[in-house]
Amino acid sequence: MSQIVSSFAQLQLSSAMQAALQAAKFETPTPVQAAAIPPALEGRDLIGIAQTGTGKTAAFLVPIFERLREQQASPQPGCALVLAPTRELAEQIHQWAQRFGGSARSALVVGGVSYGPQYDALRRRPSLIIATPGRLVDHLERRTMSLSDVRIFVLDEADRMLDMGFKPQLDRIMAVLPKTRQTLLFSATMPSDLDAIVRMHLNSPVKISVGEQAIPPSQTDQDVYLVEQQQKTPLLLSLMGESNGTVLIFTRTKHRADRLAKTVRNAGHAVERLHSDRTQAQRRAALQGFKDGRYRILIATDIAARGIDVTGINHVVNFDLPHTAEDYVHRVGRTSRAGASGRATSFASADERNQLRAIERHIGKPLPRQAHDLARPEGAAPMALRPASADAPRRFTPSRFSKRNDDRPRVARYA
Ligand code: AMP
């Protein structure tokens, strides 16, 4: 019978793994690790309802490497496969795998990069393959890899994978996985199409749930500015001028991300963009530059919302509200990671009122309205914002919501 543990010492991990955890400064297991690692070490199938930011990567990597280590002496040692929805998430898992895996080889199999190095990595019989579904299926079709040695299969962010339309690829992959294997599935939510996959492909899984109610971490200060579309850019520039911490900004489209980045750069800020029209190398450089502090500001579309593992983002700004309340939670989850506090600010224009209502229903409380003294669109240059004081009643100045909600460039004049 599995126990929920309160320290890594209780898990009787190998000394190599203990050293890796120490080097990563993981002193006590997070709730998802405490609940998932013991049954996973026993070889049980598992469903983990947990979001990014809860420590779920180590919750599967630790048991994977421990179990693979035990099998090393066997004539057919086998390997593990982790499927993740985005390249960024796969790359992050790969980085953690290099820290936890010791000498075990891991191969990263994602799209947007050339096949050659991936063939080479796969030929070296890696213990762990971390892949995105599309590229993995390409390799299966080219017969450049086989999944017959997979003993442990991890589906990470399974709900996101289905949202992104990867069901056909998942079916294709699961059809060729060996029937005798361990399966660990992690997902922030459990939609019915995922339930069907669980019933078909998991064997008496242990179900664990960490913060099932998907609401943003309580340490995050959340607020909203009710603005007109054309006030968003001056408001953003003003907010950026008030702080010097790291900021992750979300826009609705790639085009808006590009345009906003230009304006923010012209205003003198170190900024990069992350979205799916950029090459893999550009995306990697943007994320790395944000992580190492070269860019204080990263402007992204939702592709970046899940899985970005950058600690200490001070401020998340929803320049445009997301289409689903779940995406709001994921975006906001990029701050306040691993216990740190952060701020999440949303801009909501008249055409985003329904989204705002849906978000507030989902998180079960209204977002505090922040007052602003922005000039009307016809007015002069951006002016300083008067932050609402914590104890004064929040003031919302009803805006004259413009009917002009189109996407025409009007930000240049604020640059
Ligand atoms: P994840 O949900 O796997 O993306 O992890 C989120 C963040 O939590 C990562 O930046 C990890 O460095 C951190 N983290 C994971 N597990 C622990 C732990 N046991 N102690 C401290 N930090 C952790």
Side-chain angles (χ1 to χ4, degrees):
M1 190 58 196
S2 302
Q3 295 274 309
I4 293 188
V5 296
S6 56
S7 81
F8 283 117
Q10 281 171 271
L11 293 168
Q12 300 183 336
L13 301 170
S14 64
S15 49
M17 184 57 78
Q18 288 177 32
L21 288 165
Q22 246 165 29
K25 299 201 166 51
F26 288 8
E27 280 158 19
T28 43
T30 65
V32 68
Q33 292 161 2
I37 295 176
L41 282 172
E42 286 173 9
R44 299 283 309 267
D45 279 6
L46 180 133
I47 303 169
I49 304 294
Q51 300 165 39
T52 304
T54 52
K56 65 184 168 55
T57 313
F60 60 78
L61 286 181
V62 169
I64 282 180
F65 285 120
E66 290 295 272
R67 284 175 60 72
L68 292 179
R69 204 169 274 133
E70 283 165 16
Q71 293 179 15
Q72 246 166 15
S74 84
Q76 275 200 310
C79 68
L81 169 67
V82 176
L83 266 193
T86 64
R87 300 169 198 170
E88 280 76 19
L89 182 57
E91 285 186 356
Q92 280 166 195
I93 296 169
H94 188 233
Q95 283 164 10
W96 281 113
Q98 287 167 324
R99 298 176 70 169
F100 289 131
S103 57
R105 266 192 290 271
S106 334
L108 182 65
V109 175
V110 296
V113 292
S114 58
Y115 283 83
Q118 292 181 0
Y119 296 144
D120 295 342
L122 290 169
R123 260 197 298 268
R124 275 184 247 123
R125 299 194 140 265
S127 304
L128 175 63
I129 300 166
I130 301 149
T132 47
R135 180 57 68 96
L136 181 55
V137 167
D138 287 348
H139 277 282
L140 292 177
E141 268 157 19
R142 291 166 181 231
R143 298 182 189 282
T144 44
M145 77 185 286
S146 144
L147 299 181
S148 59
D149 288 339
V150 173
R151 304 278 181 273
I152 310 173
F153 172 52
V154 178
L155 253 179
D156 196 14
E157 306 213 338
D159 54 347
R160 181 66 163 178
M161 244 180 275
L162 295 178
D163 283 353
M164 291 171 74
F166 283 132
K167 176 82 167 51
Q169 288 84 349
L170 280 187
D171 289 342
R172 170 90 172 77
I173 292 164
M174 288 191 287
V176 295
L177 281 172
K179 294 279 167 281
T180 311
R181 58 155 204 267
Q182 179 181 15
T183 305
L184 310 174
L185 180 149
F186 289 87
S187 189
T189 57
M190 203 63 194
S192 54
D193 41 357
L194 196 52
D195 229 11
I197 289 182
V198 165
R199 266 180 276 119
M200 241 178 106
H201 296 283
L202 275 76
N203 179 16
S204 314
V206 176
K207 188 171 174 193
I208 62 159
S209 172
V210 177
E212 187 143 27
Q213 179 75 16
I215 54 169
S218 52
Q219 306 95 309
T220 311
D221 250 343
Q222 298 166 70
D223 50 32
V224 62
Y225 288 89
L226 302 178
V227 285
E228 300 187 39
Q229 275 294 349
Q230 50 272 67
Q231 290 175 318
K232 286 185 173 183
T233 301
L235 175 59
L236 182 81
L237 291 179
S238 179
L239 287 176
M240 296 303 91
E242 282 173 5
S243 71
N244 49 18
T246 45
V247 190
L248 178 59
I249 301 171
F250 287 99
T251 59
R252 185 164 41 80
T253 64
K254 304 166 202 172
H255 181 57
R256 280 168 76 81
D258 287 340
R259 228 175 39 201
L260 186 62
K262 215 166 164 182
T263 310
V264 170
R265 187 172 301 118
N266 286 343
H269 300 288
V271 58
E272 250 303 354
R273 296 160 294 145
L274 186 71
H275 60 62
S276 58
D277 270 0
R278 309 208 73 207
T279 65
Q280 188 55 19
Q282 288 171 326
R283 284 156 65 167
R284 195 178 303 127
L287 198 53
Q288 194 53 47
F290 186 54
K291 280 185 184 181
D292 63 29
R294 240 172 321 133
Y295 308 113
R296 175 167 83 92
I297 301 172
L298 185 66
I299 303 184
T301 53
D302 274 305
I303 187 161
R306 303 232 181 177
I308 284 191
D309 178 17
V310 184
T311 44
I313 296 177
N314 301 107
H315 197 173
V316 166
V317 177
N318 293 312
F319 188 81
D320 297 312
L321 284 184
H323 284 298
T324 67
E326 288 77 15
D327 277 339
Y328 174 83
V329 173
H330 282 285
R331 288 180 179 189
V332 171
R334 301 313 92 220
T335 177
S336 309
R337 290 164 76 77
S341 64
R343 180 178 176 200
T345 300
S346 298
F347 296 174
S349 62
D351 52 332
E352 293 169 306
R353 283 289 186 79
N354 287 342
Q355 285 149 264
L356 179 59
R357 262 194 293 272
I359 288 165
E360 292 181 326
R361 258 200 312 275
H362 184 78
I363 63 173
K365 58 178 184 191
L367 289 175
R369 269 57 175 162
Q370 285 280 18
H372 66 78
D373 273 343
L374 280 174
R376 295 288 175 217
E378 299 77 12
M383 51 180 64
L385 290 174
R386 186 154 18 95
S389 91
D391 33 29
R394 307 270 186 173
R395 180 172 66 83
F396 163 55
T397 319
S399 328
R400 279 183 301 113
F401 281 107
S402 164
K403 286 211 173 5
R404 189 174 165 231
N405 287 322
D406 61 275
D407 215 17
R408 274 175 284 156
R410 54 168 82 82
V411 292
R413 62 199 162 96
Y414 300 115

